[in-house]
Amino acid sequence: MAGIVVLGAGGRAGRAVTAEARRRGLTVTAAVRDPERYAGLGAPGVTVVRGDVLDRRSVEDVAGGHIAAVQAVSPFSGPEQGFATLDPAFFVKAADALLDGLADARVRRLVAVGLFANLLGPDGRPVMDDPTAFPPEIRPFALAHTAGLARLRKAGNGDVDWVMLTPGGGLEADGPRTGRHRFGDERMPDGIPGLSYADLAAAVLDEIEKPTLHRTRVSVYGPRRKEKEKAQENAKAT
Ligand SMILES: NC(=O)c1ccc[n+]([C@@H]2O[C@H](COP(=O)([O-])OP(=O)(O)OC[C@H]3O[C@@H](n4cnc5c(N)ncnc54)[C@H](OP(=O)(O)O)[C@@H]3O)[C@@H](O)[C@H]2O)c1
């Protein structure tokens, strides 16, 4: 089986997806904007290339010959960076470049990582519309993400079979890989612990190897606390 291409491979989600793909024996083309900054990413089965998710031709070039693409890109790594330079159309441009570039490269599967802000809260409003649940200063980023999701949805039954997996809570950078995750719907899961990047990556790879979700967005969330503790104990024991 040919491998996958990961856009944003140098980021937290991108690295976790790359590691999970290698764990499953898939080769990875790791697309980053500046390969010189990411020399350490290269490894057996991982080829680092230059790739820009905002550029349709670049997407086509890096994606050709792969079974699927993963969109793990973000223009900001955290609120501490501020959003003064955010392009509100960033994720729309990324969606356009991906849909067009992947179609031209004849890559039919796209798995994208979403943002919990546009899941629906208990009152039925998007979480980002509730200032008690979502910091208003991050709202521009949430709106940009949401516009990108809308652009994917607008693609309807286009050539690319996309799915957006939206973490239903926090994403834990150093959380364990439990190998367990669940998919929900548009609603924010209630009282469910966050997800580790490693478990998010497993969900991404599941949807590449055995796709069950098509042209839709779902929430993805982690195991309940007891399951997680058990997985952590098992990991320590091995
Ligand atoms: N709880 C949640 O819902 C939650 C939590 C965290 C993240 N997320 C989402 O998950 C996704 C991945 O986030 P992350 O935490 O992995 O982010 P991250 O660690 O900040 O990594 C993002 C990567 O995107 C790359 N990038 C930026 N612009 C690019 C472009 N034009 N073309 C190609 N690559 C580009 C960056 O590379 P450079 O080094 O070139 O800048 C960086 O390596 C994002 O959509 C984010 O919003 C959701």
Side-chain angles (χ1 to χ4, degrees):
M1 191 185 258
I4 64 168
V5 58
V6 179
L7 289 123
R12 291 164 293 190
R15 286 172 191 265
V17 168
T18 298
E20 182 68 22
R22 290 304 300 135
R23 187 186 175 104
R24 298 182 187 209
L26 291 172
T27 57
V28 176
T29 296
V32 298
R33 285 188 293 185
D34 180 0
E36 282 179 17
R37 282 184 51 219
Y38 290 107
L41 272 186
V46 181
T47 306
V48 182
V49 300
R50 187 181 304 278
D52 185 343
V53 80
L54 300 177
D55 178 341
R56 165 193 182 145
R57 287 295 303 274
S58 176
V59 171
E60 181 185 353
D61 287 348
V62 298
H66 296 88
I67 57 166
V70 177
Q71 203 287 58
V73 165
S74 175
F76 293 98
S77 289
E80 64 285 353
Q81 293 178 330
F83 299 104
T85 60
L86 174 68
D87 175 0
F90 179 92
F91 288 100
V92 170
K93 290 175 183 170
D96 281 341
L98 284 163
L99 292 171
D100 293 341
L102 294 180
D104 289 346
R106 298 182 187 282
V107 175
R108 301 290 178 225
R109 186 66 167 160
L110 167 65
V111 183
V113 180
L115 184 71
F116 78 100
N118 50 35
L119 292 173
L120 305 179
D123 60 4
R125 284 186 297 168
V127 173
M128 66 182 170
D129 288 349
D130 177 359
T132 63
F134 193 78
E137 61 274 18
I138 307 178
R139 199 175 146 79
F141 183 68
L143 287 170
H145 240 296
T146 306
L149 171 60
R151 184 55 63 100
L152 287 175
R153 284 182 161 143
K154 204 172 155 205
N157 287 331
D159 289 335
V160 178
D161 179 15
W162 61 272
V163 62
M164 180 176 280
L165 305 186
T166 299
L171 264 179
E172 299 158 9
D174 301 320
R177 180 190 185 282
T178 67
R180 292 166 193 269
H181 60 266
R182 281 166 290 169
F183 292 125
D185 54 20
E186 289 283 316
R187 287 167 298 179
M188 184 85 174
D190 193 20
I192 300 291
L195 187 70
S196 66
Y197 277 94
D199 281 343
L200 169 68
V204 168
L205 265 297
D206 281 0
E207 280 302 311
I208 288 173
E209 291 193 310
K210 289 190 182 154
T212 62
L213 301 159
H214 305 280
R215 298 181 172 86
T216 190
R217 181 281 283 276
V218 297
S219 58
V220 54
Y221 48 96
R224 295 183 196 282
R225 190 161 51 86
K226 279 199 172 148
E227 283 179 293
K228 198 167 167 182
E229 284 167 1
K230 199 167 173 199
Q232 274 167 323
E233 276 166 27
N234 289 345
K236 270 187 209 152
T238 54

